[in-house]
Amino acid sequence: EAQVTQNPRYLITVTGKKLTVTCSQNMNHEYMSWYRQDPGLGLRQIYYSMNVEVTDKGDVPEGYKVSRKEKRNFPLILESPSPNQTSLYFCASSKSGRGPDEQFFGPGTRLTVL
Amino acid sequence: AQSVTQLGSHVSVSEGALVLLRCNYSSSVPPYLFWYVQYPNQGLQLLLKYTSAATLVKGINGFEAEFKKSETSFHLTKPSAHMSDAAEYFCAVSYLSGYSTLTFGKGTMLLVSP
């Protein structure tokens, strides 16, 4: 089954404790992206990647890091999480990242930073 | 910069009534437009997309949307609401040039009452 998977689905952590949220897709997509969803704000893009070893900032990159060492994986790293990073995070992928491509979304990771 | 405005953070309808969710975009070039749906505790799923082939686009679950360039709108409709349509709906816009960021509206929660 074609899908985007994320782990963990739920995470509660404390301020300053480094964490990684994994994202993997099995569709051989070149483009991958991370979004955060907050009530009343919709989805905002954090980082995206056009291909292996190529990443770029989205609209809200502060406090996050990403890497793309393999085509299928695109982990999101919070090196020193803060309470304002409490949010629902989605990973997405698409064939090329160009205009008309559909983006496929993972099930989401709900993060709480205390 | 591209942007999307969804009118109404919440829309309530009765089962069997017409569903109308509004989306307006701002753009100086022809856009690609999408409607995504998010059911509770799930990721986003594509309902339909406009890629300039036809102005009336039909999607899944009986939804459709009409691209109106003169009004810069892409409203989502369904003739008869079903209880299972209760979800949050997001309009999004992208463009062909380069690697295109998908910009989302803030979302509209559709509530369906018996």
Side-chain angles (χ1 to χ4, degrees):
Chain A
E1 181 190 354
Q3 61 182 347
V4 178
T5 57
Q6 295 178 227
N7 283 292
R9 294 289 312 276
Y10 301 91
L11 180 60
I12 300 175
T13 189
V14 296
T15 300
K17 186 176 181 182
K18 181 179 179 179
L19 66 91
T20 299
V21 183
T22 64
C23 173
S24 182
Q25 50 92 7
N26 63 0
M27 295 170 278
N28 201 36
H29 284 169
E30 291 187 352
Y31 180 92
M32 297 185 75
S33 181
W34 276 102
Y35 297 89
R36 61 177 289 173
Q37 182 181 17
D38 301 290
L41 297 179
L43 278 82
R44 295 177 292 168
Q45 190 177 50
I46 302 170
Y47 269 95
Y48 62 97
S49 169
M50 293 78 79
N51 214 323
V52 176
E53 301 292 0
V54 182
T55 63
D56 208 348
K57 297 177 180 179
D59 296 322
V60 288
E62 293 77 21
Y64 304 95
K65 285 178 59 176
V66 294
S67 68
R68 187 95 181 269
K69 293 182 170 52
E70 304 168 283
K71 196 171 188 178
R72 64 182 295 129
N73 296 323
F74 190 45
L76 179 69
I77 303 158
L78 285 71
E79 297 223 325
S80 183
S82 62
N84 65 11
Q85 293 179 298
T86 293
S87 187
L88 179 58
Y89 291 87
F90 288 101
C91 181
S93 73
S94 69
K95 188 175 181 181
S96 72
R98 297 188 183 273
D101 282 357
E102 173 187 356
Q103 290 197 19
F104 294 82
F105 285 79
T109 296
R110 187 167 293 280
L111 172 65
T112 301
V113 183
L114 302 175
Chain B
Q2 61 201 39
S3 68
V4 173
T5 301
Q6 291 184 241
L7 289 175
S9 59
H10 292 79
V11 169
S12 296
V13 300
S14 300
E15 194 171 21
L18 171 73
V19 175
L20 170 61
L21 304 183
R22 299 178 185 272
C23 172
N24 289 89
Y25 67 92
S26 68
S27 167
S28 58
V29 297
Y32 296 101
L33 293 158
F34 304 79
W35 276 100
Y36 282 84
V37 61
Q38 184 181 27
Y39 298 105
N41 299 314
Q42 295 187 27
L44 278 73
Q45 175 184 355
L46 182 69
L47 270 180
L48 49 81
K49 67 178 180 181
Y50 167 74
T51 59
S52 78
T55 57
L56 182 62
V57 182
K58 294 188 183 298
I60 61 172
N61 301 337
F63 284 93
E64 62 182 37
E66 186 173 8
F67 173 70
K68 291 187 176 180
K69 184 178 179 180
S70 61
E71 299 176 8
T72 61
S73 69
F74 191 56
H75 302 331
L76 182 70
T77 61
K78 182 174 180 177
S80 177
H82 192 272
M83 296 294 290
S84 61
D85 294 326
E88 190 159 21
Y89 293 79
F90 293 93
C91 184
V93 63
S94 71
Y95 303 91
L96 179 62
S97 59
Y99 286 95
S100 178
T101 297
L102 190 62
T103 299
F104 285 87
K106 295 183 178 181
T108 298
M109 183 68 73
L110 177 64
L111 308 169
V112 183
S113 56

